[in-house]
Amino acid sequence: MSPRKIIIDTDPGQDDAVAILLALASPEDVELLGITCVAGNVPLHLTAKNARVVCELANRPDTRVFAGHDRPITRALVTAEHVHGKTGLDGPALPDPKMRLQDAHAVDFIVDTLRREPSGTVTLCPIAPLTNIAHAFNRAPDIVGRVREIVLMGGAYFEVGNITPAAEFNIHVDPEAADIVFRSGAPITVMPLDVTHKALVTGPRLEAFRALGTPVGRAVAEWTDHFERFDKEKYGSEGAPLHDPCTIAWLIDPTLFSGRRINVEIETLSPLTRGMTVADWWGVTDRPANAMFMGDVDADGFFALLTERMARL
Ligand code: RIB
Ligand code: CA
């Protein structure tokens, strides 16, 4: 079967970095058409830099990286340096990128690619606030029907929030953008905290990355070592949740995950619960299903895949 054509929309972010590496390490499964960057974990100038740092770590300076929006559609930007560090990629010391950003704006790249590629062949993998995707859909409604699938990391139901008691970070930062995407009618697969909080980089899993003895293995171990502090303190969890790579792992081996098709709507009005994904997991409303909402992951299988693929780089 030919590899899935994908665009990763990202705000690196240590877990974003591992998702990008997983995609670059899996050419038989995914063809990475480009990486579009957005403000989120850290401001845009850093996410656009970090995406290139990761591509060069993977020895793929040919990857096309685009800068997108530097703030949410209507709201002020909320960042997460408290989780990811000042640079957004705290952990290993990696060299500044030499590869350049593409001249085109990320949203132009998304629109042009979806119009150029045959309809139903391009998958969008947003692992950040949905600002770029929403702008693309607003600007070019004709592309919505051409999207094969949106596989996004965001939201939560049983896990509730990680940035507020009610909301997960990616949705909280730009709820209006998320509302546009979830109402768009495009096929959506959601990797919420309910799943990603089961994909924890425990000690043995971290050591397996380090034992690869490669620059990539070391970087992944040091990123997750840094990144886990927030979750350990907050949840007492044993290791960092590798949120964003779950999207790429779904494309490589969907049998690792299970969930259900449900209705998901986004809270945009209440200051208290802004960005909450109101997921009708129990089917108590007659609201039509608009998303495949994941609820479980085979964590050992996920880390076996991830470690095997990191060893390729
Ligand atoms: O809530 C987790 C999400 O927010 C991940 O995508 C992480 O990178 C941050 O963007
Ligand atoms: Ca992210």
Side-chain angles (χ1 to χ4, degrees), residues 10-13 15-16 41 84 127-129 153 170 244:
T10 179
D11 62 339
D15 60 318
D16 302 67
N41 286 320
H84 299 274
I127 51 177
M153 190 279 140
N170 288 339
D244 295 338

